[in-house]
């Protein structure tokens, strides 16, 4: 199976690529959707800043994200990659990819920012990404922002950081994690395998 990681200047491409390859995927790193054919899935990595990342995706391709995905290709957005799914972010002024309704807001300053470390998941609903993963599993976060979906029905799981932080979202073929599966040990590895299984369908 062949999947693509979109390189918009994020810093965790290598570790994500290694995690995918360990699960048997062939991985290409792409910088444009215009030459990105015949992939079974797409990943948006999760280290960087909102505006430069969105700008890079738009400037590098005549084909838009929406045209490329067309609700057919499974996409996994990780941390910043998930945040870009939404309409806007307090981190910048650019319009997000707007494939999910809502916004991205900074964590309240009464909490330590960035939120960095292991927190457990509270599963709200069953989901292909969570197949075989028990409630209260621990995953690794590094972030200063959280998403505020317009419709909470897209939230698959959240995590308690003094406030509820949406940890996993899903709409159709779009999956997002606020945490880093590639840094989350066995549980993260299982999620990556579950995502790759969706790419095979």
């Amino acid at each position: 199976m062949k999947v693509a990681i979109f390189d918009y200047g994020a810093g965790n491409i290598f570790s994500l690529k290694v995690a995918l390859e360990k699960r048997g995927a062939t991985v290409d790193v792409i910088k444009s959707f215009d030459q990105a054919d015949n992939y079974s899935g797409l990943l948006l990595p999760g280290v960087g800043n909102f505006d430069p990342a969105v700008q890079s995706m738009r400037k590098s391709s005549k084909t838009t994200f929406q045209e490329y995905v067309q609700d057919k290709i499974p996409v996994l957005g990780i941390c910043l990659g998930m945040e870009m799914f939404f309409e806007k972010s307090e981190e910048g002024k650019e319009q997000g990819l707007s494939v999910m309704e809502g916004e991205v807001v900074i964590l309240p300053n009464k909490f330590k920012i960035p939120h960095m470390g292991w927190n457990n998941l509270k599963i709200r609903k069953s989901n292909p990404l969570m197949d075989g993963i028990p409630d209260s599993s621990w995953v690794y976060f590094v972030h200063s922002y959280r998403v505020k979906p317009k419709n909470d029905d897209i939230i698959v799981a959240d995590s308690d950081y003094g406030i509820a932080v949406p940890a996993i979202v899903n709409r159709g073929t779009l999956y997002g994690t606020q945490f880093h599966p590639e840094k989350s040990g066995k549980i993260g590895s299982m999620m990556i395998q579950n995502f790759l299984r969706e790419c095979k369908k």
Side-chain angles (χ1 to χ4, degrees):
M1 185 198 336
K2 192 175 182 182
V3 298
I5 300 173
F6 199 98
D7 179 7
Y8 42 74
N12 70 325
I13 289 176
F14 177 76
S15 59
L16 183 56
K17 185 173 185 290
V18 169
L20 290 162
E21 290 172 341
K22 283 184 177 179
R23 285 295 181 172
T26 299
V27 184
D28 286 345
V29 178
I30 63 172
K31 293 188 176 183
S32 171
F33 293 129
D34 299 337
Q35 294 86 33
D37 296 326
N38 302 316
Y39 292 108
S40 300
L42 173 69
L43 295 98
L44 306 182
V47 177
N49 295 314
F50 191 89
D51 278 5
V54 172
Q55 289 168 356
S56 176
M57 291 188 74
R58 291 194 172 119
K59 289 179 180 179
S60 64
S61 309
K62 293 180 181 178
T63 305
T64 68
F65 174 78
Q66 290 89 340
E67 290 170 338
Y68 177 67
V69 175
Q70 295 182 30
D71 287 330
K72 296 179 181 179
I73 301 171
V75 181
L76 177 59
I78 297 172
C79 199
L80 173 63
M82 178 183 86
E83 293 169 4
M84 289 195 297
F85 285 161
F86 290 84
E87 296 166 298
K88 60 182 180 179
S89 173
E90 289 183 347
E91 188 178 18
K93 298 181 179 179
E94 289 286 330
Q95 181 180 353
L97 298 175
S98 301
V99 291
M100 293 183 179
E101 292 184 314
E103 61 181 333
V104 181
V105 299
I106 195 165
L107 292 169
N109 59 17
K110 64 181 179 179
F111 304 118
K112 184 179 179 181
I113 301 176
H115 169 204
M116 183 181 298
W118 295 83
N119 279 71
N120 58 353
L121 299 174
K122 179 180 179 182
I123 300 174
R124 291 193 179 195
K125 59 174 66 177
S126 61
N127 187 267
L129 202 65
M130 299 299 292
D131 189 30
I133 296 174
D135 195 23
S136 298
S137 293
W138 292 82
V139 291
Y140 188 77
F141 290 83
V142 182
H143 67 115
S144 299
Y145 294 82
R146 64 184 178 96
V147 300
K148 287 182 64 177
K150 185 175 181 179
N151 186 346
D152 285 350
D153 285 347
I154 69 170
I155 301 175
V156 173
D158 50 29
S159 186
D160 183 10
Y161 189 58
I163 54 172
V165 173
I168 302 174
V169 297
N170 170 233
R171 185 190 68 75
T173 61
L174 304 174
Y175 300 87
T177 66
Q178 186 67 76
F179 55 91
H180 289 263
E182 77 281 10
K183 297 180 180 179
S184 296
K186 181 180 178 181
I187 295 299
S189 184
M190 290 173 64
M191 288 184 187
I192 289 171
Q193 185 64 66
N194 288 341
F195 174 73
L196 293 175
R197 187 183 61 214
E198 291 301 298
C199 295
K200 291 180 181 179
K201 294 181 177 180

